[in-house]
Amino acid sequence: MRTRRTIAAAMSVLALTAVAACGKSGSPSDSAAGGSAAPKAPTYQVKSDVKLTGSQTFDAAKKRGHLVVGAKSDQPFLGFEDLTAGSGASARSGFDIEIARMISADLGFDPNTIEWKTIASANRETAISQNQIDYYVGTYTINDNRKKQVSFAGPYLVAGQDLLVAKNNTTITGPESVKDKAVCTVTGSTSIDNIVKYGAKITKYDNYSQCVDKLMTGEVDAVTTDDAILKGYAAKNPDKLKVVGKPFTQEPYGVGLAKDDTVLRGAIDDALKAHEDNGDWKKAYDATLGLSGAPAPAVPALNRY
Ligand code: GLU
């Protein structure tokens, strides 16, 4: 018993040291990024004396002393929370998380002080419009319908909807072949709207990882959403899962923020541009999404509407 407690204590000291070490740099933990040989996400220089006159979101964050950022927590290499890592910045990893961190640094807030809130696809517009978060970075497709309730900076990546199936599945080869098949996707996503017309039997959950669990047990034939998300799950289970590889939509990812906070939107667009131009975007990609096997695509042009 005593030995076990000693080992547990030693392990928690080690874990704390790791958190402290990573916490300083603003990088994800090595374990989350795939091991010590894996490429490292950049560190971001925190700007000082940032002023965003006219942004209510920024004023509220200044008063509070830190940013509150919405993200996903179950999407490997995109927005992931390592629940075994304990609290602290290093528990979150992924490309979306890096995007959120670079923006934070340019707004003058240390990325290690971000208060993260996990928000599912269906709850994003509510979380943003009710000011529960300052901005949201989580595979969030920019579209006109959503623009009625929120604003978007970006895009910072363009994904495309695809299908995830069992490794030995030869019958599902694209959206045309899902008729009468059991396909799982997520409530409040563009993925659900896009698959309906193909005549699949749709099962829906709040999170994609719940769909992946159902695919692993054979309760559904496929999971559908953006290829960037699906590649992460496939990379975590390469012996059991594969992505079909025929994207059938375009999903430009934006940073969601309060509707008509044009000052904040401009500042986030500026931050994205600066980190794309200085190479951070590419480094962050290689250290996160790149680990799921997909090389970095071209950076999309910002749409400063
Ligand atoms: N990008 C799509 C969307 O914004 C699907 C991924 C997601 O649900 O986050 O709905």
Side-chain angles (χ1 to χ4, degrees), residues 142-200:
I142 302 171
N143 65 32
D144 289 342
N145 201 29
R146 290 173 177 166
K147 276 190 197 166
K148 290 178 196 154
Q149 295 182 71
V150 303
S151 285
F152 288 100
Y156 59 88
L157 189 77
V158 181
Q161 188 165 342
D162 211 323
L163 291 149
L164 180 75
V165 295
K167 187 91 182 221
N168 59 4
N169 183 313
T170 50
T171 53
I172 297 180
T173 51
E176 311 74 25
S177 52
V178 299
K179 192 164 183 312
D180 298 328
K181 300 273 197 256
V183 177
C184 192
T185 190
V186 158
T187 317
S189 66
T190 55
S191 315
I192 201 161
D193 301 336
N194 295 332
I195 199 68
V196 167
K197 61 172 175 273
Y198 293 101

Side-chain angles (χ1 to χ4, degrees), residues 252-277:
Y253 287 171
V255 178
L257 62 128
K259 186 167 158 58
D260 297 333
D261 191 336
T262 47
V263 176
L264 181 63
R265 198 175 78 215
I268 295 180
D269 277 332
D270 290 346
L272 292 172
K273 182 85 177 82
H275 290 276
E276 288 164 7
D277 289 351

Side-chain angles (χ1 to χ4, degrees), residues 72 75 120-122 124 136 138-143 146 159 161 185-192 194 206 208 225-226 229 251-253:
K72 295 289 184 74
Q75 299 180 180
S121 296
R124 294 181 284 208
Y136 184 91
T139 58
Y140 197 16
T141 296
I142 302 171
N143 65 32
R146 290 173 177 166
Q161 188 165 342
T185 190
V186 158
T187 317
S189 66
T190 55
S191 315
I192 201 161
N194 295 332
D206 290 339
Y208 295 105
T225 186
D226 307 335
I229 301 172
E251 307 293 329
Y253 287 171

